Amino acid sequence: MLSMQNISKVYRAGLVETHALRDFSLEVREGEFISVTGPSGSGKTTFLNIAGLLESFNSGRYELDGRDVSALSDSESSKVRNEKIGFIFQSFNLIPDLNLFDNVDVPLRYRGFNAAERKRRIEKVLETVGLAARMKHLPSQLSGGQQQRVAIARALAGEPRFLLADEPTGNLDSHMAMSVMELIAEINRNGTTIIMVTHDPALAELARRNVHILDGRVSNSVPDLKLAHAVST
Amino acid sequence: MFAYYLKLGWLSIRRNPLLSALMIAAIAIGIGASMTIITVNYIMSSNPIPHKSDQLFYVQLDNWDPNNQEEDGYEPPDQVTYLDAMALMKAGKAYRQVASNRSGLVLEPQGEDERPFTVNTRDTWADFFPMFDLPFLYGSGWDDAADQNLDRVVVLSRVINERVFGGENSVGRSVRLNGMDFKVVGVLDEFQPVPKFYDVTNGAFEEAEEIFIPFNVAVEYQFPRNGNTNCWKMPEGDDNDAFLNSECVWIQFWAELRNETEKQDYMDFLNAYVNEQKALGRFPRALNNRLSDVMEWMENQKVVEDDAQVMLGLALLFLVVCLLNTIGLLLAKFMGKSTDISLRRALGASRSSLFVQHMIESGLIGLAGGILGLGLTWLGLRGIEMLFEDIVKNLVNLDWVMVLTAICLAIASALLAGLYPTWRACHIAPASQLKIQ
């Protein structure tokens, strides 16, 4: 489903070059739930940005659903993001002056659905995350956990093929974090491929596969998540 | 999506009320200043009789001094002599023709307590009323016989009829002018062409006359003229007959010619007439007769003065300065929305859809600025009216064309100002703003 071969990404600031990814290769199959771990500056961010078509790369090949994405125009890559990819951010990134209904509505608007279809989808996903009764509330009227559920509903509304989650529980307490993780796991069980970046070994352990990134490459030495979990707790 | 973008624009304006207010104020001030001047220019240069302006021709005959040449050649005088006016009227070669001039009379109301007052008067001919489409409240103009028989008849303006007769139908009644009784044959409805095209020699934006009497009567009783009189050589005597037979010009002459053939025929007639006069020792210059339609005549007489054009340029320059301010403010506003823009990019918005969204927001700001600018324009026009009073009284009204122009100009200006900030906003790198770790 997602195939990256020898991807390299270099940031240039004047004469200084920073190699964020070096010959980065990864295969993700349909329905997988992958956690991505690694120390700060290892390239997790860059990998997720490239996977979500939010950033370009210097060399290598990236295929999504068998299609080479490097030559896509802006409108084509926007369409792919809108139809195939869902994003969940650490800081939720809800639009503060739109209510829950309108927040979830954003990607559907760009999809071009009619009003009835949008309403049906919004109500369905808000029901899924347990917030159907609050669809006219503003984000500021919700707890952090509830806001992240709205963000998940927004990501799911377009029924994407895979979900990119960026520290989805990073801003939540442990109780809310577990609740959100259960929701994400449920989404995966329903067939959506999930790639989740996390610093938390306990959460990484919930994934079926862990990818550890070190110095811009997939590391062969996969860390002992159970041990890391024990250390962190 | 248009309605959706309108909603997003409105939300965005509400989100930063101070910044939005500053942008709206900048556009409003620019629109207010420029529209004030544009309105004055627009009314100055408007067509006062659009349905037949290309059929009405101002007649110029070059009887002037051969030793007085302007830089760009000989320019015929802007009025005609009594001799020529009478000859053209007598020939009657045009579909309609009118010689007229402005005078001033004293009107003596009938009531004992009423005091006499002066009235601006137009001495003219029967054709004046149908030729220039004067609107009548009561009665009509006089007929050709009245011109020939020196009938003492008068047409009153609505204002004078209200003042003298309380607004009643005064047709058939008489008014006393300069000690003589005149019979009222008609009362005009509102009549104020802007510019006052039929006589720009006495001020293109003056009030229309208050009463109209037959030209021949005014000449017969030697009523005092109240317009411009120019002579290139002195009359051969001091009496009125000498003046009437002189080369002094003081009469405006118009001919109504319904098509190109009539115009050409009339020009041939004018040339033949002048050649005939040359044989009699008049018209020392080369043949140089002119027929100018209404708009050509307004242009010839520089009804819109050069100063007004300079002011217009300065006002538009001021609008540009206001727009530059708006560009800076819009840039700050759109850059402040970088997270929102990045999020929308991540959720599937293309650059083009974000471009449309932000241009619509710019247009909304322009619309608000235009509405506020209209208010400022109104204030500006009232200010001009207070400063210059009667001189510009007929120039300072906003009609629907100007209202629409102001709104369109404001929206277009805001869209123009929004181009660069919107382009910058659409090129924000989403990854840098979304804090994906």
Side-chain angles (χ1 to χ4, degrees):
Chain A
M1 181 188 189
L2 181 152
S3 169
M4 286 187 180
Q5 298 296 327
N6 304 316
I7 296 286
S8 290
K9 175 69 181 178
V10 181
Y11 294 107
R12 291 187 175 85
L15 295 173
V16 180
E17 288 190 348
T18 306
H19 291 261
L21 293 180
R22 301 166 189 261
D23 291 330
F24 184 95
S25 298
L26 182 68
E27 297 282 339
V28 179
R29 290 182 299 278
E30 181 106 38
E32 274 199 293
F33 182 0
I34 294 177
S35 63
V36 179
T37 55
S40 294
S42 59
K44 302 190 300 295
T45 303
T46 306
F47 159 65
L48 213 61
N49 287 341
I50 291 172
L53 308 186
L54 293 175
E55 205 161 338
S56 61
F57 47 92
N58 299 98
S59 63
R61 186 176 179 83
Y62 173 22
E63 286 183 4
L64 192 63
D65 271 348
R67 186 179 184 190
D68 183 0
V69 299
S70 59
L72 294 181
S73 66
D74 176 70
S75 60
E76 286 171 333
S77 58
S78 299
K79 195 168 187 299
V80 171
R81 272 198 302 274
N82 183 257
E83 293 179 1
K84 295 191 174 177
I85 305 171
F87 290 91
I88 304 171
F89 306 101
Q90 178 178 351
S91 50
F92 322 136
N93 282 331
L94 298 177
I95 299 171
D97 44 13
L98 296 183
N99 62 32
L100 306 195
F101 185 97
D102 290 337
N103 262 288
V104 177
D105 190 31
V106 173
L108 304 181
R109 288 277 184 175
Y110 297 119
R111 191 77 160 267
F113 289 135
N114 62 34
E117 176 64 11
R118 294 201 314 273
K119 186 168 183 287
R120 186 189 70 74
R121 285 177 177 247
I122 293 165
E123 287 174 351
K124 181 184 164 194
V125 291
L126 283 175
E127 187 74 43
T128 303
V129 300
L131 288 168
R134 298 195 173 195
M135 62 174 69
K136 294 298 173 192
H137 285 56
L138 290 172
S140 58
Q141 296 170 305
L142 304 180
S143 68
Q146 288 172 322
Q147 288 189 43
Q148 191 61 297
R149 284 172 173 272
V150 178
I152 292 170
R154 181 179 62 193
L156 291 177
E159 296 173 359
R161 298 279 304 283
F162 80 111
L163 213 56
L164 298 178
D166 162 37
E167 290 279 3
T169 60
N171 285 358
L172 304 176
D173 62 37
S174 57
H175 176 69
M176 284 186 180
M178 196 47 66
S179 157
V180 166
M181 280 309 300
E182 283 169 7
L183 182 58
I184 290 174
E186 175 67 22
I187 292 164
N188 175 248
R189 280 194 290 276
N190 290 334
T192 306
T193 308
I194 294 177
I195 299 175
M196 178 182 71
V197 166
T198 181
H199 278 109
D200 188 337
L203 297 182
E205 205 177 344
L206 295 175
R208 293 188 205 168
R209 178 155 70 110
N210 175 246
V211 172
H212 190 68
I213 301 178
L214 201 60
D215 296 333
R217 291 188 177 94
V218 176
S219 170
N220 291 326
S221 58
V222 178
D224 186 336
L225 291 172
K226 286 181 179 169
L227 178 61
H229 183 197
V231 170
S232 68
T233 52
Chain B
M1 286 299 271
F2 183 76
Y4 181 61
Y5 291 146
L6 276 180
K7 179 184 171 184
L8 293 180
W10 169 239
L11 285 173
S12 177
I13 288 170
R14 272 200 338 188
R15 197 180 301 153
N16 299 97
L18 185 61
L19 204 54
S20 302
L22 279 174
M23 284 184 286
I24 290 167
I27 291 174
I29 291 168
I31 291 294
S34 54
M35 283 308 298
T36 301
I37 306 299
I38 288 172
T39 302
V40 171
N41 271 267
Y42 162 73
I43 296 174
M44 275 179 153
S45 58
S46 62
N47 188 338
I49 185 164
H51 57 288
K52 62 191 301 190
S53 65
D54 57 349
Q55 295 176 27
L56 301 176
F57 292 89
Y58 194 79
V59 176
Q60 287 177 278
L61 303 177
D62 198 351
N63 69 322
W64 217 239
D65 184 359
N67 299 315
N68 186 3
Q69 185 177 4
E70 289 85 7
E71 282 180 9
D72 51 351
Y74 289 117
E75 176 67 20
D78 56 9
Q79 297 181 103
V80 298
T81 65
Y82 177 76
L83 283 174
D84 297 326
M86 289 306 100
L88 299 187
M89 287 304 301
K90 189 177 177 185
K93 294 289 184 184
Y95 173 64
R96 288 186 181 121
Q97 50 261 299
V98 159
S100 74
N101 75 296
R102 182 170 164 145
S103 62
L105 300 179
V106 175
L107 191 153
E108 302 163 45
Q110 289 178 332
E112 288 181 3
D113 297 335
E114 299 290 334
R115 302 180 65 178
F117 58 91
T118 57
V119 283
N120 286 323
T121 308
R122 179 139 298 266
D123 310 329
T124 188
W125 294 72
D127 274 354
F128 185 87
F129 304 99
M131 191 165 163
F132 297 133
D133 281 346
L134 272 71
F136 277 87
L137 201 57
Y138 307 119
S140 64
W142 57 82
D143 57 18
D144 291 337
D147 282 325
Q148 302 307 325
N149 300 333
L150 304 184
D151 289 350
R152 294 209 297 264
V153 289
V154 64
V155 169
L156 305 179
S157 72
R158 182 179 182 141
V159 171
I160 289 296
N161 187 58
E162 281 175 5
R163 183 168 177 180
V164 177
F165 296 108
E168 293 176 4
N169 183 353
S170 58
V171 172
R173 297 172 71 173
S174 67
V175 287
R176 200 160 177 78
L177 296 165
N178 277 26
M180 285 181 271
D181 287 330
F182 281 71
K183 182 184 172 189
V184 177
V185 293
V187 175
L188 293 179
D189 203 344
E190 289 296 334
F191 175 64
Q192 181 55 64
V194 181
K196 201 179 89 176
F197 65 98
Y198 59 82
D199 181 10
V200 293
T201 63
N202 287 301
F205 303 103
E206 293 288 310
E207 296 274 303
E209 286 77 11
E210 295 165 299
I211 65 170
F212 300 78
I213 63 169
F215 182 90
N216 287 339
V217 171
V219 171
E220 174 70 17
Y221 295 106
Q222 297 181 31
F223 287 158
R225 295 180 308 281
N226 201 9
N228 292 319
T229 300
N230 294 303
C231 310
W232 68 276
K233 62 182 182 183
M234 295 307 292
E236 295 171 354
D238 295 331
D239 59 0
N240 192 53
D241 282 347
F243 175 75
L244 293 179
N245 289 308
S246 72
E247 293 296 333
C248 295
V249 294
W250 53 282
I251 297 167
Q252 302 94 50
F253 199 95
W254 285 89
E256 183 173 347
L257 307 165
R258 294 167 295 181
N259 51 49
E260 193 57 34
T261 307
E262 286 190 6
K263 183 186 174 187
Q264 192 54 53
D265 289 349
Y266 199 73
M267 182 55 94
D268 292 343
F269 157 70
L270 291 178
N271 291 339
Y273 167 75
V274 170
N275 280 329
E276 189 181 284
Q277 293 297 306
K278 279 175 176 289
L280 297 172
R282 297 182 62 216
F283 289 85
R285 287 181 176 181
L287 206 59
N288 186 22
N289 303 319
R290 304 265 178 93
L291 283 173
S292 308
D293 69 22
V294 173
M295 296 314 284
E296 287 169 346
W297 184 235
M298 300 299 104
E299 176 73 22
N300 176 284
Q301 292 293 288
K302 294 194 182 330
V303 167
V304 182
E305 293 180 17
D306 291 345
D307 288 355
Q309 305 279 22
V310 172
M311 283 297 292
L312 180 63
L314 287 174
L316 290 174
L317 209 59
F318 182 69
L319 176 62
V320 170
V321 171
C322 292
L323 287 185
L324 288 175
N325 276 304
T326 308
I327 289 173
L329 293 166
L330 274 173
L331 197 57
K333 184 179 174 66
F334 289 171
M335 289 298 108
K337 289 172 64 180
S338 55
T339 305
D340 182 278
I341 290 166
S342 300
L343 175 69
R344 288 181 182 278
R345 293 281 285 144
L347 297 179
S350 62
R351 285 199 182 105
S352 57
S353 59
L354 285 172
F355 187 86
V356 174
Q357 176 193 328
H358 287 87
M359 288 306 280
I360 287 175
E361 185 177 336
S362 302
L364 268 180
I365 289 167
L367 178 65
I371 292 168
L372 186 59
L374 269 178
L376 294 179
T377 304
W378 186 85
L379 283 177
L381 292 174
R382 295 287 80 77
I384 289 178
E385 191 176 21
M386 284 171 66
L387 277 174
F388 299 103
E389 294 183 342
D390 290 346
I391 301 172
V392 296
K393 191 175 175 184
N394 300 310
L395 293 178
V396 291
N397 294 310
L398 271 174
D399 62 13
W400 65 269
V401 175
M402 283 293 99
V403 169
L404 274 180
T405 303
I407 298 291
C408 291
L409 183 62
I411 293 174
S413 301
L415 291 178
L416 197 64
L419 276 176
Y420 176 65
T422 300
W423 182 84
R424 284 282 305 271
C426 292
H427 284 78
I428 288 172
S432 63
Q433 301 294 325
L434 292 172
K435 298 175 185 170
I436 297 176
Q437 295 177 9

